[in-house]
Amino acid sequence: MKKKFTPVVWTFLFMLGMISAQAQTGGFAVRYLLPNYQFPITSKFKSGDFTSGAELEYTHVLDKAFNLAFPLKLAKANYPVDEHGQVDDGIYMGLDLLVQFKHFRPESAVSPYLFAGAGLNLEKAEFLNASIPIGAGLDVKISRSTYFAPKIEYRLALQDPNLRNNLQAGLGLKVFFGGEEKMPEPALVMPAAFWVGSRWGTPGLAAAWVTVYPLAVLGPMAFYAFRTVDL
């Protein structure tokens, strides 16, 4: 079914494209993602309730206290059908805009941060939902520019919160770049890609995410990250 997007959603997409194109100092993270849709219902941690996936995140450094982050997620999810344990397996795709409040000192080996923001979630390539992620993370220095970067978040769903609130944990690495070096600027194509994709509904949006975003945004960032760590 073709979706009609509100001005708020289009503003979110436009901000993503603008900031991604202008960013010159920031970081690039890759994480193993662990979503859990059962914890908000049962309030119990069970290893079998966690599914798996991957997260690619770009961080734009604003100053010593604040960052903007743009995580792109792809995972398997066990979507609750009711509150009695019945689930429906499916693919989860997500794209967030996050504000991070951090306690950062260059000489510190550990830099904690809190974050909150807004996100769009595509369930089973059919249903587009919105959510509010709230969480915390750590950047643990491994080398000059490389960090171990775990984080955990609770996502408040704006549609059907009783069954769509969820917990997500992530484990991975982050590479920061900056100084006199400048990251290659990705083209400002994401708003246009989402606009074109929306003409075919949620499958079109999914196609824009998995094709245009890696080529126009993640590719240049990965190139710079690998060059920074001499790979």
Side-chain angles (χ1 to χ4, degrees), residues 16 23 54-55 86 89 96 176 178 186:
L16 169 65
E55 175 184 284
Q86 185 177 356
D89 294 344
D96 297 342
F176 279 105

Side-chain angles (χ1 to χ4, degrees), residues 94-105:
L95 182 64
D96 297 342
L97 170 60
L98 304 176
V99 178
Q100 299 176 346
F101 174 72
K102 58 186 177 178
H103 177 67
F104 177 75
R105 293 177 298 177

Side-chain angles (χ1 to χ4, degrees), residues 10-90:
W10 282 115
T11 300
F12 172 85
L13 299 176
F14 180 75
M15 289 177 63
L16 169 65
M18 286 294 294
I19 296 173
S20 295
Q22 295 174 359
Q24 295 179 337
T25 303
F28 180 69
V30 179
R31 293 186 179 93
Y32 179 64
L33 187 64
L34 296 163
N36 184 338
Y37 276 83
Q38 280 63 53
F39 174 77
I41 299 175
T42 65
S43 299
K44 296 179 181 179
F45 280 101
K46 297 181 180 179
S47 60
D49 290 339
F50 287 91
T51 53
S52 60
E55 175 184 284
L56 301 175
E57 181 184 72
Y58 169 66
T59 301
H60 175 59
V61 178
L62 296 176
D63 54 35
K64 292 183 178 181
F66 292 97
N67 293 342
L68 290 177
F70 307 93
L72 175 68
K73 306 178 181 184
L74 178 64
K76 177 184 176 183
N78 291 332
Y79 296 109
V81 177
D82 54 38
E83 297 182 1
H84 305 290
Q86 185 177 356
V87 299
D88 184 16
D89 294 344

Side-chain angles (χ1 to χ4, degrees), residues 114-137:
L114 302 174
F115 62 86
L120 297 176
N121 316 313
L122 188 62
E123 297 182 8
K124 298 187 290 186
E126 296 179 7
F127 308 107
L128 187 65
N129 295 325
S131 60
I132 300 175
I134 302 171

